[in-house]
Amino acid sequence: MLSKIGQDGSLSDRVAEEVVRYIQDNRLKVGDRLPNETELAAALNVGRSTIREAMKQLANSNVVSIERGRGTFVKDRPGQVDDPLGFRFANDKKKLLVDLIELRLIVEPPIAALAAERRTQEDILRIRDAQAEVERMVALGVNHGAADAHFHATVAEATQNSVSSSIVPVLNRSVDLVISISGQSSLDRTMQYHRDICQAIARGDAKAAEATMRAHLEDHRNFIFAVFGRTSIG
Amino acid sequence: MLSKIGQDGSLSDRVAEEVVRYIQDNRLKVGDRLPNETELAAALNVGRSTIREAMKQLANSNVVSIERGRGTFVKDRPGQVDDPLGFRFANDKKKLLVDLIELRLIVEPPIAALAAERRTQEDILRIRDAQAEVERMVALGVNHGAADAHFHATVAEATQNSVSSSIVPVLNRSVDLVISISGQSSLDRTMQYHRDICQAIARGDAKAAEATMRAHLEDHRNFIFAVFGRTSIG
């Protein structure tokens, strides 16, 4: 199960790798508890302080969460870090926004088409719930950025493609930033686009889902251009 | 420049954030050296052990590299981790390969078109060099996976879109795995497709670049289907 650790390289690095392999081999799921420090130390033949350091490393890279007094648990989407592409290091945030919407326009319309072809009944419910949540946030007048990103994530999940489920949320990180500047201007149009996307996916109409997602994101891109201007590239 | 750190939350987390802000504010570039432990400890009013822990955290998330005796340096593509979408946690590697090639077929053809529209003379040279390197590896009979992924990365960079430059290498992580199974079967076709993509981009022909990239990846996908079978979805 857990293989013993040798003597070369950084010990905690290799212990961290062993723990990752343990999670994979045993197909542990979100929220599953890992063996405790004492058990792991014995199984891997290393000290508890090494286990502790390895676990800190894994917590930093979003593989586990350490809950004091309760234990160490597998995280949702293990290994997916908060800002996986290092967007916070972009020196020019305007260019980043323009670049992001350009990529979303490439990726999300075909994803909406696949979603319409492959969605399950549960997917349809999840997409509808996500849109209802966006409308609730908008009605309350609070920031709907996270709810909006979640709507697009549920569409991506309906493709049954694990890579699209991972990538769309990353590309949607920018939504909050745009909303913080845009205020309420394009909200009515956004709501209508979302509803139309929902319906096209629900009735399995791939062409309409793709076209409506494209129109929605083009509208969003035009808004970004209006607020920030095009870059020298656009 | 560096703001002093208060008393709440995990100290090393906040010190790590301060260091990230320092890198951003001072627009430090790849290979730039950070202030040493003593300087940072004084500037942030924390102990050297806290600085050390924060730096380990930043090294884990690929922001800095710690070189013993030389100092701490900003890494290339700071914040971009090795496996940002957690692919190593995928339980079904076959499905992951099928999902990856499906996403590459969505993303890379339009990216090749943008590359043809926006490439500089330097981009053309880089793409040609990358293809020459693939041919050299193939001629030597050694694994050309990294060189192949680098070819696709140079095309993505020619779009001048920072997000496409970040995403394409992530989607190309699977190339090695496919190559390790495929052996030499589709090498001649791959070489020809690469050369045609090069030429289309060099002469600024967006349509040909897009169509050739699509044909190349469809060929690759058909190969994956032949080796692994389609999933229930495909």
Side-chain angles (χ1 to χ4, degrees), chain A residues 24 27 53 56-57 60 78 80 84-85 88-89 91 95 99 102 114 118 160-162 167 233, chain B residues 24 53 56-57 60 78 80 84-85 88-89 91 95 99 102 114 118 160-162 167 171 233:
Chain A
Q24 294 169 322
R27 305 198 165 209
E53 190 164 341
K56 264 192 200 168
Q57 240 173 274
N60 282 337
Q80 296 191 28
L85 300 179
R88 68 192 154 141
F89 293 95
N91 286 328
K95 177 164 177 357
D99 288 353
E102 181 167 273
L114 289 177
R118 300 176 183 165
Q160 322 300 327
N161 180 314
S162 60
I167 275 189
I233 293 155
Chain B
Q24 294 167 322
E53 191 165 340
K56 263 192 202 170
Q57 241 173 273
N60 282 336
Q80 297 189 28
L85 300 179
R88 68 193 153 140
F89 292 96
N91 286 329
K95 177 166 176 355
D99 288 354
E102 181 167 271
L114 289 176
R118 299 176 184 164
Q160 322 300 327
N161 180 315
S162 60
I167 275 189
L171 298 178
I233 294 154

Side-chain angles (χ1 to χ4, degrees), chain B residues 76-168:
Chain B
D76 189 19
R77 303 188 170 277
Q80 297 189 28
V81 296
D82 269 354
D83 179 25
L85 300 179
F87 290 153
R88 68 193 153 140
F89 292 96
N91 286 329
D92 184 344
K93 301 290 183 211
K94 284 186 203 177
K95 177 166 176 355
L96 177 60
L97 271 181
V98 172
D99 288 354
L100 273 168
I101 189 66
E102 181 167 271
L103 254 286
R104 290 186 64 193
L105 262 162
I106 289 174
V107 171
E108 293 197 52
I111 279 179
L114 289 176
E117 285 166 8
R118 299 176 184 164
R119 84 284 181 273
T120 63
Q121 287 308 308
E122 291 73 41
D123 289 324
I124 296 173
L125 293 178
R126 268 194 292 268
I127 296 170
R128 284 204 174 126
D129 283 351
Q131 172 50 16
E133 183 63 12
V134 176
E135 312 226 2
R136 209 171 67 81
M137 297 286 121
V138 170
L140 288 171
V142 298
N143 187 325
H144 66 287
D148 192 296
H150 181 64
F151 171 79
H152 287 271
T154 57
V155 171
E157 275 161 25
T159 63
Q160 322 300 327
N161 180 315
S162 60
V163 181
S164 91
S165 311
S166 309
I167 275 189
V168 166

Side-chain angles (χ1 to χ4, degrees), chain A residues 9-10 17 29 64 76 87 99 101 110 127 132 141 155 161 179 188 229:
Chain A
S10 153
E17 275 169 34
K29 285 185 289 293
V64 302
D76 190 17
F87 290 154
D99 288 353
I101 189 66
I127 296 170
V155 171
N161 180 314
I179 286 174
D188 290 346

